[in-house]
Amino acid sequence: MSCEEILVCPIQLGENFCLYFAGLECDAFCKEKTLHKFLRNVNSQLLVVRPDLNMAAFEDVTDQEMRSGNGMHFNIHCYKTTTPSAGMPVAFSVQVEDKSYYMCCEKECGKTIVRFREGEVPVDIPGESNVIFFKKTFTSCSSRAFKFEYSLEKGMFLAFEEEGSLRKLILKKLSREDEVDETMKISF
């Protein structure tokens, strides 16, 4: 079954005339388009991926470094979904030298961490995936800034955390849905 068609087979008419269906898909993602962007935090720093150090951090970048785009020019893969209410499903990838890396989340010592693995993001994702984030507007007043919720853990968002002089990319729990946390604010 492709992402363009959904097979719907009514199987029963229940109490109060509720119609029950079989064969419905759940959480299927199909790549629709790819955007090419720099990702900036609230301090206008660019997200830079450093696979050799197994990390990504927001950094001040010179114009010359920006032109090279190495490890900082992201592909944002936008997906169609069967459950659009959660936000626009996206996956991230980046070129570092001649290799492509995709962002994913993995459990390590009971904590979910952000990783970049060598390879490409899939075109079709039939179910849940550790590479999908839901793009949401940061606040109703800032339509050009976003927050990205991890699809497998509701309330967990991409954010940065200061560690010495670094602002490392992490997943952070939002304590309340209406809370505004500037460390989660990402703009293109």
Side-chain angles (χ1 to χ4, degrees):
M1 185 179 305
S2 79
C3 288
E4 297 301 319
E5 53 189 50
I6 297 175
L7 180 63
V8 179
C9 304
I11 59 167
Q12 171 180 351
L13 189 61
E15 287 183 33
N16 297 328
F17 301 103
C18 291
L19 191 56
Y20 294 88
F21 295 92
L24 290 176
E25 290 184 51
C26 61
D27 291 345
F29 304 102
C30 181
K31 197 184 304 183
E32 181 175 38
K33 64 182 174 183
T34 303
L35 307 172
H36 307 284
K37 302 285 184 182
F38 292 103
L39 302 180
R40 297 180 185 277
N41 68 4
V42 68
N43 303 323
S44 293
Q45 296 172 308
L46 294 185
L47 182 59
V48 181
V49 176
R50 304 205 184 277
D52 54 329
L53 302 174
N54 201 17
M55 68 161 229
F58 288 94
E59 301 178 9
D60 293 312
V61 175
T62 66
D63 289 345
Q64 185 176 350
E65 290 171 318
M66 213 168 138
R67 276 192 289 278
S68 82
N70 199 30
M72 61 187 86
H73 200 187
F74 281 81
N75 295 314
I76 303 167
H77 307 272
C78 302
Y79 288 80
K80 292 180 187 176
T81 179
T82 55
T83 55
S85 62
M88 165 71 77
V90 298
F92 299 92
S93 67
V94 66
Q95 250 345 86
V96 179
E97 293 168 5
D98 61 341
K99 294 181 180 173
S100 186
Y101 295 85
Y102 63 91
M103 184 190 301
C104 63
C105 293
E106 299 174 347
K107 288 275 190 197
E108 191 173 282
C109 300
K111 186 177 178 184
T112 306
I113 56 170
V114 180
R115 288 269 189 244
F116 284 84
R117 297 285 180 216
E118 190 175 340
E120 302 291 333
V121 296
V123 173
D124 295 316
I125 300 172
E128 294 180 334
S129 174
N130 70 339
V131 303
I132 294 290
F133 296 84
F134 294 116
K135 180 178 118 180
K136 302 173 179 222
T137 54
F138 184 69
T139 64
S140 58
C141 303
S142 57
S143 61
R144 299 186 64 130
F146 305 95
K147 57 186 177 183
F148 295 90
E149 185 175 26
Y150 181 42
S151 66
L152 297 183
E153 290 186 43
K154 188 165 177 50
M156 294 291 284
F157 290 84
L158 291 177
F160 70 86
E161 176 179 73
E162 298 207 23
E163 190 176 286
S165 62
L166 292 176
R167 287 185 172 90
K168 289 179 69 171
L169 183 67
I170 62 163
L171 271 185
K172 186 175 183 182
K173 180 81 173 159
L174 194 61
S175 55
R176 293 183 338 265
E177 199 164 310
D178 63 345
E179 179 184 1
V180 176
D181 184 336
E182 293 284 322
T183 66
M184 296 177 184
K185 185 176 186 177
I186 297 176
S187 56
F188 301 147

